[in-house]
Amino acid sequence: MRKYFGWEFKPALTAAIHKMASDLSIPRVNVSFQQCIPTAAINRHGAMLITNIKDDAVLTPLELQKFTGFGLHELLHRKYTDFNAIDTSKSPYLLGLHNAIEDAYIENRAVREKLTGNAHGLLGLLIDTMAGQALVEVNDWTDPKQYPFALAVYARKHGQVVVPLASGLRPIFDEACSRLESARSTQDTWQIALWVYKQLSALDKPKPPVNKPPVDKREDGPQNGPSEPSDGPTEPSNDDGEGDPQGEADKGAGKAKSPRKPNGKDVTPRSTEPDVDLPYESSSGGSTSESDIRKNGYHVRPVKRWTISI
């Protein structure tokens, strides 16, 4: 298997991102590599940040595909996400839920509209890599910090790896996925996030432990990648400022089932804390604090196949 050095990979990835932007009729983006970002981020002005890759770093072809997926994901934010529809003054937990829903929305839409010949593969690899690593690193899936990430995995149609869900989450996530089917804009995903937040605020505490988390059943599926739980409060609050007093978030209920395969298991509390305490937005935010990234306006990631030529 051929391996690639960082010094040859960075210019190749940059060129691939510009090619993808052109193919998607997206205005040119400015790509830079920054140590403060664990994966990638983009703002409304098209400034894309990608985690810095050392010149002597050695990358495998699988890692090349993963980083291409990060680039594609951030370009989809550039194409579909309306940054003006996101109220960044709201709680970090609500913003984390929205980011999870928006991420699923833009990726599902790209695959549905067949923007590229291999969007399904690139984006599937991306979420499966992160979910696979989360299965290794996260000990307590009943911690509300993990709910946004669990929702982000659950709502993507193109992923194969499933993660455990705390008791009571599945019906909420199913309804969120149902509403996501009819979403056409960031305004719609924001309303879904408000609805999910409201349901989580009323969720009963999980019951004692009864089963174990599932494992990745793909024989050749990716096993490594960053785990991306939310850095919201230990549990959602009933803050009136985050709710939906007019009931607008309750509109749009549908009957469509979740796109996820029904082979995941519900889990119940464990006494240990999660090994990883990164914000879900680390996929498109960074290792700097979530608020710092948002202050700078970053969203915290013809049919053809895109590849990186080195």
Side-chain angles (χ1 to χ4, degrees):
M1 177 184 297
R2 181 183 174 184
K3 295 183 180 295
Y4 305 88
F5 288 107
W7 64 265
E8 57 181 342
F9 172 66
K10 287 190 286 188
L13 177 60
T14 301
I17 289 173
H18 289 316
K19 181 65 166 60
M20 287 190 286
S22 176
D23 291 342
L24 292 175
S25 300
I26 297 173
R28 187 176 178 86
V29 296
N30 180 32
V31 181
S32 62
F33 295 84
Q34 304 287 336
Q35 290 183 343
C36 65
I37 301 295
T39 51
I42 195 169
N43 66 11
R44 70 179 69 216
H45 305 295
M48 183 184 297
L49 307 181
I50 299 175
T51 188
N52 189 48
I53 302 169
K54 294 183 179 180
D55 288 345
D56 59 353
V58 179
L59 298 96
T60 66
L62 185 64
E63 289 170 321
L64 301 186
Q65 294 181 51
K66 182 181 72 173
F67 274 95
T68 305
F70 280 132
L72 174 58
H73 176 89
E74 300 308 329
L75 287 174
L76 293 176
H77 278 305
R78 178 78 159 146
K79 184 175 182 66
Y80 293 131
T81 298
D82 178 3
F83 290 86
N84 292 324
I86 303 170
D87 186 351
T88 57
S89 69
K90 296 299 185 181
S91 76
Y93 198 89
L94 174 58
L95 293 171
L97 287 171
H98 177 257
N99 193 56
I101 295 167
E102 180 75 7
D103 281 355
Y105 164 67
I106 62 175
E107 290 192 9
N108 290 347
R109 182 171 175 178
V111 173
R112 182 177 67 248
E113 296 180 355
K114 300 180 179 179
L115 292 186
T116 76
N118 61 336
H120 185 285
L122 287 175
L123 297 174
L125 171 65
L126 185 61
I127 190 59
D128 282 349
T129 298
M130 292 187 290
Q133 185 65 20
L135 288 174
V136 175
E137 296 182 343
V138 177
N139 289 330
D140 185 3
W141 288 98
T142 65
D143 187 338
K145 293 179 181 178
Q146 310 298 339
Y147 295 176
F149 176 71
L151 176 56
V153 175
Y154 197 84
R156 282 167 163 91
K157 296 182 176 182
H158 39 279
Q160 297 297 318
V161 180
V162 296
V163 298
L165 298 181
S167 298
L169 292 187
R170 193 175 302 277
I172 297 173
F173 286 7
D174 281 338
E175 177 60 26
C177 290
S178 173
R179 296 178 182 218
L180 195 58
E181 286 292 311
S182 59
R184 295 295 180 267
S185 67
T186 304
Q187 287 89 342
D188 294 337
T189 60
W190 181 256
Q191 291 302 313
I192 296 171
L194 287 173
W195 181 85
V196 172
Y197 187 94
K198 183 177 181 180
Q199 305 313 304
L200 293 181
S201 297
L203 193 63
D204 292 335
K205 298 292 184 183
K207 298 177 182 179
V210 292
N211 53 27
K212 297 180 179 180
V215 297
D216 180 5
K217 297 183 179 180
R218 294 177 61 189
E219 294 181 359
D220 58 348
Q223 299 296 322
N224 299 308
S227 170
E228 313 225 329
S230 168
D231 68 342
T234 55
E235 61 184 29
S237 68
N238 288 301
D239 188 342
D240 291 340
E242 315 302 345
D244 185 39
Q246 286 75 37
E248 289 299 314
D250 287 329
K251 295 182 179 179
K255 298 181 179 180
K257 297 298 182 182
S258 162
R260 305 297 302 149
K261 294 181 179 180
N263 60 348
K265 295 181 179 179
D266 292 346
V267 294
T268 47
R270 297 179 57 153
S271 60
T272 57
E273 292 297 321
D275 290 334
V276 178
D277 193 19
L278 295 175
Y280 169 67
E281 283 83 349
S282 61
S283 65
S284 49
S287 57
T288 55
S289 74
E290 178 181 311
S291 59
D292 287 342
I293 289 294
R294 286 210 177 87
K295 286 177 183 176
N296 293 318
Y298 285 89
H299 191 272
V300 249
R301 321 204 279 45
V303 177
K304 57 186 70 180
R305 297 183 66 85
W306 285 319
T307 58
I308 296 178
S309 299
I310 298 180

